[in-house]
C-alpha cells in the first residue's frame, strides 16, 4: 500500500468509527479534503481494516488485572438482543459480544471468549447483580475474586454511552452479525479517541490527543504523513 492510500484509508476508518457519520457523509468530508472516494469504498475499507486497527489499539497499553463486565440491550432488526462488554479498571474496552439471551449460558460463553488467548487470569471480576455472572464465574474461573456491589460497576456501564449514541444514529442494527462486526471494531477504535476529559485542562487534553493520534498513525501505517495546513 502507498503512503497516500494508508493515509486516506486510516482517515476514513477513523471518521466512521469516531463520529456518528454515514458512509456517504465520510465520502463528502473526504471530497472537501480533495480526495475522491466512493461511499462503497469507505464501507469496504471499514469492513476490512476496522477490526485490524481496533485489535492493534487494544494492545496499547496492555490491559489491567481487573475485568468489569456488563450487558445492555440493543435493537437488532426490531428485536431485543444483548451487548455484553468487558473493560479493565482504566476503562479500556477489552471485548464485546452480541447475544440474543441474558442467561447463564450467555454469561459463560462471554467469559470464556474474554479469557481465550490471555496469558494470565484476571485478579478480580466486577459485575452487576445479575446472578448468571456468579454461575459463570464458578464454572470458568472459580479462583478469581468476584465483586458485585451496587455502583461498583460504573466503569463498564459508562462505556455503553458511545454505543447508545451510535445505535440511535444508525436507527438500530439490521442483523446480529452486522452488529457484532461493527461494534467489535467500534469499541476498539472509538474509546481510543475519548480520553476522560474531566480531570484534564485543555493543554493536557491536546497533548493526550496528539499522543493518541501518533499511536493511531503507527498502527495504521500512516506515520510520517505530511502536516496539514
Amino acid at each position: 500500500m502507498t503512503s497516500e492510500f494508508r493515509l486516506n484509508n486510516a482517515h476514513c476508518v477513523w471518521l466512521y468509527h469516531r463520529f456518528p457519520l454515514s458512509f456517504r457523509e465520510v465520502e463528502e468530508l473526504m471530497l472537501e479534503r480533495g480526495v475522491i472516494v466512493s461511499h462503497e469504498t469507505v464501507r469496504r475499507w471499514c469492513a476490512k481494516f476496522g477490526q485490524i486497527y481496533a485489535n492493534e489499539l487494544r494492545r496499547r497499553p496492555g490491559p489491567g488485572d481487573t475485568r468489569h463486565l456488563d450487558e445492555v440491550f440493543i435493537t437488532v432488526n426490531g428485536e431485543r438482543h444483548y451487548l455484553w462488554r468487558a473493560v479493565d479498571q482504566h476503562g479500556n474496552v477489552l471485548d464485546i459480544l452480541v447475544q440474543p439471551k441474558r442467561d447463564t449460558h450467555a454469561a459463560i460463553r462471554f467469559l470464556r471468549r474474554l479469557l481465550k488467548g490471555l496469558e494470565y487470569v484476571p485478579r478480580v471480576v466486577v459485575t452487576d447483580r445479575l446472578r448468571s455472572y456468579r454461575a459463570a464465574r464458578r464454572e470458568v474461573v472459580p479462583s478469581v475474586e468476584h465483586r458485585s456491589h451496587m455502583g461498583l460497576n460504573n466503569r463498564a456501564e459508562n462505556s455503553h454511552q458511545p454505543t447508545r449514541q451510535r445505535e440511535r444514529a444508525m436507527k438500530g442494527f439490521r442483523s446480529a452479525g452486522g452488529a457484532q462486526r461493527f461494534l467489535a471494531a467500534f469499541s476498539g477504535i472509538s474509546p481510543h479517541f475519548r480520553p476522560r476529559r474531566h480531570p484534564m485542562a485543555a493543554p493536557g487534553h491536546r497533548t493526550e490527543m496528539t499522543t493518541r493520534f501518533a499511536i493511531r498513525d503507527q498502527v495504521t501505517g500512516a506515520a510520517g504523513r505530511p502536516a496539514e495546513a
Side-chain angles (χ1 to χ4, degrees):
M1 291 189 293
T2 66
S3 59
E4 183 178 2
F5 175 86
R6 289 193 183 97
L7 176 58
N8 292 334
N9 167 285
H11 195 70
C12 285
V13 174
W14 172 67
L15 283 173
Y16 183 69
H17 289 92
R18 174 60 182 86
F19 305 102
L21 300 171
S22 68
F23 295 127
R24 292 182 185 274
E25 288 170 332
V26 174
E27 175 186 357
E28 185 175 338
L29 289 172
M30 294 300 290
L31 180 61
E32 190 275 335
R33 290 164 58 95
V35 178
I36 299 175
V37 58
S38 72
H39 65 275
E40 180 60 24
T41 297
V42 175
R43 185 193 67 78
R44 290 199 302 267
W45 282 352
C46 290
K48 182 176 181 180
F49 297 103
Q51 190 61 61
I52 296 173
Y53 297 161
N55 291 342
E56 289 298 319
L57 289 173
R58 281 197 179 102
R59 296 190 181 102
R60 304 177 182 218
D65 60 358
T66 301
R67 300 290 182 271
H68 294 256
L69 311 183
D70 195 44
E71 74 293 331
V72 65
F73 77 86
I74 59 174
T75 302
V76 176
N77 196 24
E79 298 182 357
R80 175 170 291 196
H81 280 60
Y82 293 92
L83 171 64
W84 298 71
R85 185 191 306 272
V87 304
D88 67 9
Q89 66 263 42
H90 307 298
N92 301 311
V93 180
L94 305 176
D95 204 356
I96 64 102
L97 183 61
V98 176
Q99 302 190 86
K101 300 292 185 180
R102 185 173 176 256
D103 56 15
T104 300
H105 176 74
I108 290 174
R109 184 185 179 200
F110 179 56
L111 193 54
R112 284 177 173 166
R113 172 189 171 95
L114 178 64
L115 297 175
K116 185 177 180 180
L118 288 181
E119 297 180 356
Y120 63 93
V121 175
R123 181 178 59 86
V124 179
V125 171
V126 182
T127 71
D128 59 22
R129 295 187 175 181
L130 182 67
R131 293 182 179 180
S132 298
Y133 285 122
R134 295 184 180 276
R137 196 270 306 176
R138 285 196 299 266
E139 178 166 336
V140 181
V141 282
S143 61
V144 172
E145 180 183 352
H146 180 209
R147 302 175 185 172
S148 60
H149 304 296
M150 181 70 71
L152 196 61
N153 207 30
N154 288 341
R155 182 77 69 193
E157 293 172 358
N158 292 339
S159 71
H160 292 309
Q161 295 176 5
T163 300
R164 279 286 186 237
Q165 180 188 41
R166 195 53 183 267
E167 182 186 20
R168 288 193 296 269
M170 299 174 71
K171 298 180 181 178
F173 301 102
R174 296 181 180 180
S175 68
Q180 175 67 36
R181 287 189 295 273
F182 169 74
L183 292 173
F186 174 79
S187 64
I189 295 174
S190 179
H192 179 75
F193 300 99
R194 295 175 182 265
R196 289 177 291 166
R197 297 195 63 170
H198 66 275
M200 290 186 187
H205 180 259
R206 287 192 288 268
T207 299
E208 177 66 20
M209 290 304 297
T210 299
T211 300
R212 296 191 180 209
F213 283 129
I215 293 173
R216 185 272 311 267
D217 291 345
Q218 292 174 2
V219 164
T220 61
R225 64 184 182 178
E228 297 179 9

